[in-house]
Amino acid sequence: SLILVFGPAKVSVIDFDVIRNELSTRALHYFEGEDYMTLVDQETRYRPILCVDVLNRCFAASVYGRRIFIIPVATEILPEPQAGSDLNNTETVPSNEPFAINLEALQTKTHPFYRIIDLVFLHGYYEPTFVILHEHTPTTTTRLSTRANTVCVSAITIDMSPKHQHALIWNVDQLPHNSYRLCAIPTPY
């Protein structure tokens, strides 16, 4: 699959169909409608960020500079019911509906999520876990004498069950204001 992000908040998942020798659309996600108008503010100039879980369980899209949407990847395909089979036999299939991470519920007084700079999924965790590089206080070059270390790294784990719970695991603050990139290092063997 190929995942494309179009600013400020559109995500498209496409596949290459070998039989027809063409691209086919698997999913379209649109986070710009009336339901999301409360998310739009003056900070929409930031580019959307996309990252994929290292075990391909889900992918995350950071939009509007402050919001993260998780889109689970459908992992099971149920066979078509056969004639004479029991239609009441229901199997659970993971939901592939996107859901939002409520960063306001995770932030603390000393570590608010002002602006997301980068995010990346980590290796070696049972549940999908990603870290966010974010500013906790806005700064400019003219304020560096008073506000120089305004960037944090926060790790969040996601429960992929239908409850979609998430928790802040750890965070590190007082990083330089010009930090701009995260890099996930694979677990050594």
Side-chain angles (χ1 to χ4, degrees):
S1 293
L2 179 65
I3 305 167
L4 305 171
V5 178
F6 303 97
K10 296 178 187 111
V11 178
S12 176
V13 181
I14 58 175
D15 286 331
F16 183 73
D17 188 349
V18 179
I19 296 170
R20 296 186 312 188
N21 197 25
E22 64 184 24
L23 293 174
S24 62
T25 303
R26 179 191 283 183
L28 295 171
H29 301 285
Y30 180 73
F31 303 113
E32 296 177 356
E34 291 181 17
D35 298 338
Y36 304 105
M37 290 311 290
T38 58
L39 304 178
V40 178
D41 57 7
Q42 69 274 12
E43 303 298 328
T44 57
R45 67 181 181 270
Y46 299 111
R47 64 178 171 80
I49 302 168
L50 178 78
C51 68
V52 179
D53 176 42
V54 293
L55 296 178
N56 296 325
R57 297 170 285 195
C58 63
F59 58 94
S62 168
V63 296
Y64 304 120
R66 294 185 184 184
R67 303 291 186 249
I68 296 177
F69 291 95
I70 304 296
I71 298 117
V73 175
T75 56
E76 296 179 24
I77 300 174
L78 292 179
E80 293 293 323
Q82 302 297 322
S85 66
D86 184 14
L87 295 176
N88 293 328
N89 183 11
T90 58
E91 296 182 40
T92 58
V93 176
S95 171
N96 60 352
E97 290 296 317
F99 59 94
I101 298 288
N102 185 0
L103 294 177
E104 286 82 16
L106 296 176
Q107 70 186 7
T108 62
K109 204 173 239 189
T110 58
H111 296 95
F113 291 91
Y114 174 70
R115 179 179 63 100
I116 297 170
I117 301 168
D118 196 15
L119 63 107
V120 66
F121 279 93
L122 297 176
H123 298 264
Y125 284 87
Y126 179 72
E127 293 288 338
T129 302
F130 62 92
V131 292
I132 305 172
L133 183 68
H134 62 95
E135 276 187 320
H136 61 79
T137 307
T139 191
T140 60
T141 54
T142 58
R143 293 186 176 178
L144 288 180
S145 62
T146 59
R147 291 187 198 165
N149 300 328
T150 59
V151 175
C152 295
V153 174
S154 300
I156 298 173
T157 186
I158 308 164
D159 181 11
M160 294 303 291
S161 70
K163 294 180 183 179
H164 300 306
Q165 296 176 347
H166 46 274
L168 181 68
I169 301 174
W170 53 263
N171 54 24
V172 176
D173 61 351
Q174 300 296 319
L175 297 175
H177 74 285
N178 56 356
S179 302
Y180 68 95
R181 180 87 195 253
L182 294 170
C183 181
I185 309 267
T187 307
Y189 294 104

